[in-house]
Amino acid sequence: MTYTAMISGAGISGISCAIALRKAGIEAVVYEGYDRTADDVGAFLTLAVNALDALRALDFDVRRLGFETPRIRLTSASGRLIGDLPYGRVLRDGAASRTVKRAELYRALREHAARQGVRIEYGKRLTHARDTGDTGDGVVATFADGTTASGDLLIGADGLRSRTRELIDPAAPGVRYSGLVNVGGYARGVPAGGDPGTMHAIFGSRAFFAYAAHAHGEVWWAANLTRAAEPTAAELAMVGEQDWRAELMEVFRRDHGPAVAFIEATDRILAPWTAYDVPVVPRWHRGRMIIIGDAAHATVPSIGQGAAMAIEDAVVLAKCLRDATDFGAAFAAYERLRRERVERVVAQGRRTDGWKTPGPLTRIPRDLIMSLAMKRMARTGHDPNHWIYEHHIDWDEPARQSG
């Protein structure tokens, strides 16, 4: 069937969804709550190979952004190697996991969407939506500026604190704080201390530190700082850049590795961001409204799958709407195809975060357990996370509607 879809949210999931829908022959308009683009938002992220595979269904080539990070190397605070393993399989054409600046990915996706004829309206924060049900054939959305819009469907790609999720189910769970605050930056003029393109993960004595070196010489890094109590946005904003720098220097000064050198060589510490996930959301759709991406199943950043799951969602939903006889069948098929996978990813992310924040008595056994697991993987060639990376979505194959 042919629909006109309204999409709330112009992040990675919303823009990807609009592109996928247009490819499926479905008109889509994106409504973004902020009154500007996100070209200056966020640090960087790694797109694992399953994300690259899903982006290909959107005819989007990410190779002009960032740099490849085909491997990840884990070390302890003492500098001891814990493990060295592929960051997912390499695709048949040689493409490997890729680390990109989030703002550059936003911009490139938005430009790709514009070439497909997708319209984005800014300053349209969703406040209410009414499914016309028996009296009509669509949804009327109301925005904070008092304007309204209508369409056949409303797709909530409005992130962690999704208003669409609340409209579908007022009792839906909200965000869950991870216990970590992230900071990061870009270091220049300092030796990388590792191979360009390798993601280095250091499980420090007091905090976690990750970095990768661009072939041009810049080092991209991020640190996870423990905060038992969830800080508010206002509390984070009150901490000055030099205070963050001083804390980072103190946290990592006893650890082996280049963290302190990178922090010193960074002109500007990026604004901190708090890590959350969203536990199981019982209801993803009601009537003609549905949620995707972080609105339905946010995962903590540590597993590197938030963007990937959002892009996969977009492709699968578009396929289901393309192939189903009505929107109800499409929504049901989408949930059958996605729920088990994404909830498993969220749970895996939560476990991974737990490895970053051990107490003094559990740090040594943690490193030992991780090292043994890495050695077993190297010996057997079996990656227990292969189910994440080897996921493939065939755009041309009809979406499975039942079973």
Side-chain angles (χ1 to χ4, degrees), residues 159-160 165 173-176 276-281 294-299 346:
L160 281 165
R165 182 174 66 225
V175 299
R176 179 171 59 178
Y276 299 93
D277 67 4
V278 175
V280 175
V281 176
D294 282 356
H297 49 71
T299 181
V346 172

Side-chain angles (χ1 to χ4, degrees), residues 3 14 29 73 86 89 105 120 127 151 171 241 258 276 286-287 307 310 373:
Y3 302 104
V29 181
R73 183 169 298 148
R89 63 182 174 87
L105 179 61
I120 305 174
T127 58
E241 181 181 344
Y276 299 93
R286 177 172 62 83

Side-chain angles (χ1 to χ4, degrees), residues 154-349:
L154 173 63
I155 300 170
D158 42 359
L160 281 165
R161 292 176 171 81
S162 169
R163 175 59 177 154
T164 316
R165 182 174 66 225
E166 295 176 344
L167 293 171
I168 290 172
D169 180 6
V175 299
R176 179 171 59 178
Y177 174 53
S178 70
L180 296 174
V181 171
N182 306 313
V183 291
Y186 303 99
R188 300 172 179 85
V190 62
D195 300 332
T198 297
M199 182 62 67
H200 295 261
I202 303 173
F203 289 83
S205 57
R206 297 173 60 188
F208 176 83
F209 190 87
Y211 72 92
H214 195 294
H216 295 162
E218 191 175 58
V219 176
W220 300 8
W221 63 268
N224 300 151
L225 300 175
T226 303
R227 292 287 190 276
E230 178 185 353
T232 65
E235 289 169 340
L236 289 176
M238 289 176 61
V239 182
E241 181 181 344
Q242 293 310 313
D243 293 322
W244 287 114
R245 190 184 302 272
E247 180 177 352
L248 289 164
M249 297 285 284
E250 173 60 25
V251 164
F252 292 112
R253 68 183 178 88
R254 292 188 178 90
D255 291 349
H256 184 278
V260 169
F262 293 159
I263 295 163
E264 290 178 329
T266 299
D267 293 335
R268 182 174 68 91
I269 304 295
L270 299 175
W273 63 101
T274 310
Y276 299 93
D277 67 4
V278 175
V280 175
V281 176
R283 192 165 190 172
W284 285 5
H285 54 90
R286 177 172 62 83
R288 292 174 175 262
M289 297 186 287
I290 191 168
I291 49 176
I292 66 171
D294 282 356
H297 49 71
T299 181
V300 289
S302 62
I303 197 172
Q305 284 291 316
M309 292 300 103
I311 298 163
E312 287 182 9
D313 279 0
V315 176
V316 173
L317 180 58
K319 285 186 57 175
C320 290
L321 286 167
R322 177 195 68 189
D323 298 338
T325 55
D326 60 71
F327 71 88
F331 288 178
Y334 166 79
E335 185 167 356
R336 281 195 300 271
L337 292 169
R338 295 300 295 163
R339 182 177 282 278
E340 180 180 358
R341 173 169 171 78
V342 298
E343 289 182 355
R344 191 177 175 190
V345 167
V346 172
Q348 179 66 24

Side-chain angles (χ1 to χ4, degrees), residues 50-100:
N50 56 302
L52 303 186
D53 182 77
L55 284 170
R56 288 181 178 180
L58 305 180
D59 303 315
F60 180 80
D61 188 353
V62 76
R63 287 176 293 181
R64 59 194 171 91
L65 305 178
F67 54 95
E68 285 190 344
T69 44
R71 300 194 65 80
I72 183 167
R73 183 169 298 148
L74 285 63
T75 56
S76 68
S78 66
R80 185 173 63 84
L81 178 66
I82 295 174
D84 190 330
L85 65 154
Y87 205 146
R89 63 182 174 87
V90 175
L91 299 181
R92 281 182 292 182
D93 66 354
S97 295
R98 197 167 193 90
T99 299
V100 302

